Amino acid sequence: MQGLDIGYMWGLVPVILGYVPLTLGMALAGMACALVLACLLAVERVARVPVLDRAVVLFISFFRGTPLLVQLFLFYYGLPRLVPFLVNIDGVTAAVIGLTLHFSAYMAESIRAAILGVDRSQWEAARAVGMSEGVMMTRIILPQAARIAAPTLVNYFIDMVKSTSLAFTLGVTEMMGAAQKEAAGSFLYFEAFLVVAVIYWGIVEAFSFLQRRLEHRLGRAYSR
Amino acid sequence: MISVRGLTKRFGDTTVLDGIDLDVREGERVVIVGPSGTGKSTLLRCLNFLDRPDAGTITIGDLTVEAGRATPAQVLALRRRTAFVFQNYALFANRTALGNITEALVHVQGRPKAEARARAEAILREIGLADRAGSYPAALSGGQQQRVGIGRAMALEAELMLFDEPTSALDPEWVGEVLDLMRRVARQRRTMLIVTHEMQFAREIADRVIFMEGGRIVEEAPPERFFAAPQDPRTRRFLARVSGGGSPARPAGRA
Ligand SMILES: Nc1ncnc2c1ncn2[C@@H]1O[C@H](COP(=O)(O)OP(=O)(O)O)[C@@H](O)[C@H]1O
Ligand SMILES: [Mg+2]
């Protein structure tokens, strides 16, 4: 067995790190959009608006029932045909749209469960003081549901960070793409992808640390 | 003036409220007593549509809502004319004591934040919790939480205040402070409909006592007469039981 070319790997680290902002950018954009969409989907699932409810159930079923990679290809190749002004859709946009829809379906289910986990007394008190259903949701129920769902949602975010690597298959030069290009010249593929793996690992560990801090804070909330 | 006609509520096959008729004058304090499971909570909860009545009409001031055809807007309007004090306090867990009181003032009544805050601070002083303004419900004792619950209801300035056994969930040590606050509210001549098992308290503050059983109003009378000379045998049985076997004909002996 050949030894690892540590020197090569070391030299590659700053190159790959240069693509971390793109990875985090896609993940943050996807997460922000997915959160908004998931809240809407979850509130609809709880309120069960006639007709709309069936569409939402179908949406969630499809995006949980098919692989993210397949969904990304569908958007990349399908959207330009469906929506004329998206003819020039680039890989990053397609990836963010795909991540948003895919993860919003999963997150909607955990937000829905969290909403239903908010104590009945909270709904009754909100209604008793005369709140409209919308005010009740935004002021009382969703903030409490957010606390319940937060740890799970952070897990989805971490998952999303890793899933951005699939944008590589849409021709985006992100961390994987950059490693591929570098290795094409040196033939040191294993070294290059090992660097990618370690950098992903580091990012995830950093967010896991923040997650533990967040959970600690949430555990103390409302107890002053 | 509150007026209820033919209020009926069924859960599945059981009729929990069986055509309740009830009038409450402005400023009147009406206490409802009766065995548990007879529909007292359901009556209060139907009055603000926390439970949807199946039949009957509810009139509060110039608003009349018909059970079968109440629109969401009417339900909201009804709820904004009533205030509810829950047995289990039901404070907003994500709001401080102050926030529990200001929440509806700002986000239901649309009052300016500063005004709502000033009003909530005045209420907190009145209920003796000015020093706990920044505390979340989880950090308050049961008695303190229920005082905030009552303060939240007071702040709304509703036309009708509904109290559903406000001391029943409390440890005995906190019952006194909550009843004291209720007496204070009663002295303010607000229109109150109170379900309670505290007979001495009922005797003190009620203008009228109602005895409910089996989803119906069995008997109603001013407290002196209600406790001294109950007419219906069911009322007498109930009073004998709650006064620990003593004769309800000699209520003064307990006072
Ligand atoms: N949500 C509900 N579903 C089914 N039955 C109910 C529900 N709420 C109350 N009941 C029944 O209605 C009856 C009256 O209940 P309630 O109004 O709570 O009585 P009270 O307050 O006088 O003790 C009871 O028999 C109770 O079991
Ligand atoms: Mg009850």
Side-chain angles (χ1 to χ4, degrees):
Chain A
M1 196 184 115
Q2 255 177 288
L4 279 179
D5 190 336
I6 301 290
Y8 175 76
M9 287 174 67
W10 200 239
L12 207 53
V13 168
V15 178
I16 305 294
L17 279 180
Y19 290 88
V20 168
L22 175 61
T23 291
L24 292 184
M26 285 193 288
L28 285 172
M31 189 67 186
C33 299
L35 261 182
V36 173
L37 183 56
C39 280
L40 295 173
L41 294 171
V43 169
E44 192 292 320
R45 288 292 289 130
V46 172
R48 289 170 162 275
V49 182
V51 187
L52 188 58
D53 195 47
R54 307 196 121 190
V56 169
V57 169
L58 192 68
F59 176 95
I60 291 175
S61 167
F62 177 79
F63 283 101
R64 285 165 46 121
T66 52
L68 175 57
L69 182 61
V70 175
Q71 291 164 16
L72 291 179
F73 274 54
L74 286 178
F75 288 120
Y76 191 54
Y77 295 105
L79 275 181
R81 285 172 49 178
L82 287 175
V83 194
F85 69 85
L86 285 178
V87 174
N88 295 319
I89 189 169
D90 61 292
V92 173
T93 311
V96 170
I97 293 176
L99 291 169
T100 295
L101 299 183
H102 181 81
F103 280 89
S104 70
Y106 281 94
M107 284 160 45
E109 288 295 281
S110 48
I111 293 174
R112 182 177 80 107
I115 289 174
L116 295 177
V118 175
D119 196 83
R120 198 167 73 104
S121 67
Q122 302 297 301
W123 302 71
E124 297 198 332
R127 291 186 174 127
V129 299
M131 284 187 191
S132 66
E133 299 292 293
V135 170
M136 171 180 75
M137 274 294 162
T138 53
R139 302 283 312 168
I140 305 299
I141 304 300
L142 285 177
Q144 295 187 48
R147 274 189 60 210
I148 300 172
T152 322
L153 295 180
V154 177
N155 280 341
Y156 282 128
F157 176 71
I158 288 173
D159 209 3
M160 192 174 312
V161 170
K162 292 184 287 183
S163 299
T164 57
S165 62
L166 291 174
F168 169 57
T169 62
L170 303 183
V172 176
T173 307
E174 38 67 76
M175 285 161 54
M176 279 296 285
Q180 165 92 8
K181 279 182 184 158
E182 291 293 327
S186 65
F187 293 102
L188 293 171
Y189 285 99
F190 179 63
E191 276 84 350
F193 291 130
L194 194 55
V195 169
V196 171
V198 169
I199 289 177
Y200 268 118
W201 191 8
I203 295 172
V204 170
E205 277 304 308
F207 281 113
S208 300
F209 172 75
L210 292 178
Q211 182 181 28
R212 286 190 294 275
R213 292 267 306 258
L214 174 73
E215 279 181 39
H216 182 68
R217 271 193 50 184
L218 290 177
R220 284 181 314 171
Y222 309 155
S223 59
R224 185 154 39 103
Chain B
M1 174 77 182
I2 286 97
S3 180
V4 178
R5 287 292 169 271
L7 200 66
T8 302
K9 174 70 183 174
R10 296 179 205 95
F11 286 115
D13 291 339
T14 37
T15 301
V16 174
L17 291 183
D18 194 3
I20 298 278
D21 295 328
L22 175 65
D23 290 302
V24 183
R25 280 179 283 107
E26 201 179 317
E28 193 179 14
R29 294 149 302 196
V30 177
V31 168
I32 301 176
V33 300
S36 60
T38 50
K40 305 182 299 294
S41 298
T42 307
L43 171 59
L44 297 197
R45 294 167 56 85
C46 280
L47 290 181
N48 73 350
F49 272 67
L50 280 184
D51 285 334
R52 232 166 213 283
D54 295 301
T57 61
I58 299 164
T59 304
I60 299 182
D62 56 9
L63 174 74
T64 297
V65 180
E66 264 183 78
R69 54 181 79 155
T71 64
Q74 282 181 320
V75 171
L76 268 191
L78 195 62
R79 287 175 179 165
R80 288 172 187 179
R81 285 168 185 241
T82 57
F84 204 104
V85 176
F86 294 86
Q87 185 172 345
N88 63 356
Y89 336 129
L91 297 184
F92 300 129
N94 60 334
R95 295 282 178 269
T96 61
L98 185 88
N100 263 276
I101 299 174
T102 58
E103 186 64 29
L105 299 181
V106 175
H107 297 280
V108 174
Q109 301 185 346
R111 301 196 202 201
K113 282 202 175 97
E115 182 194 320
R117 196 188 163 86
R119 173 150 183 73
E121 281 167 349
I123 297 246
L124 283 172
R125 279 194 296 277
E126 193 172 348
I127 65 178
L129 289 173
D131 56 328
R132 305 307 303 269
S135 299
Y136 284 92
L140 299 174
S141 74
Q144 290 172 332
Q145 288 188 60
Q146 191 57 297
R147 279 149 67 196
V148 175
I150 293 169
R152 176 173 70 181
M154 289 162 71
L156 295 172
E157 297 282 6
E159 286 173 57
L160 172 64
M161 294 180 86
L162 303 164
F163 296 78
D164 188 10
E165 298 197 30
T167 58
S168 292
L170 291 172
D171 287 337
E173 54 182 321
W174 310 123
V175 170
E177 66 186 46
V178 171
L179 289 180
D180 282 343
L181 175 57
M182 301 254 314
R183 286 188 188 94
R184 180 194 279 269
V185 179
R187 280 197 297 274
Q188 296 171 349
R189 284 254 148 230
R190 299 170 188 253
T191 314
M192 301 163 81
L193 196 51
I194 306 164
V195 175
T196 184
H197 290 300
E198 299 285 340
M199 295 301 151
Q200 179 55 37
F201 169 74
R203 199 179 319 217
E204 281 172 42
I205 65 105
D207 298 307
R208 177 157 49 119
V209 183
I210 290 178
F211 175 69
M212 262 182 83
E213 195 176 284
R216 294 181 190 194
I217 293 178
V218 171
E219 177 166 358
E220 51 185 312
E224 312 78 47
R225 204 170 83 218
F226 182 89
F227 289 106
Q231 302 296 304
D232 196 284
R234 287 169 290 181
T235 317
R236 276 190 233 128
R237 260 201 311 278
F238 173 76
L239 287 177
R241 203 163 59 237
V242 295
S243 63
S247 166
R250 289 191 359 257
R254 259 187 93 230

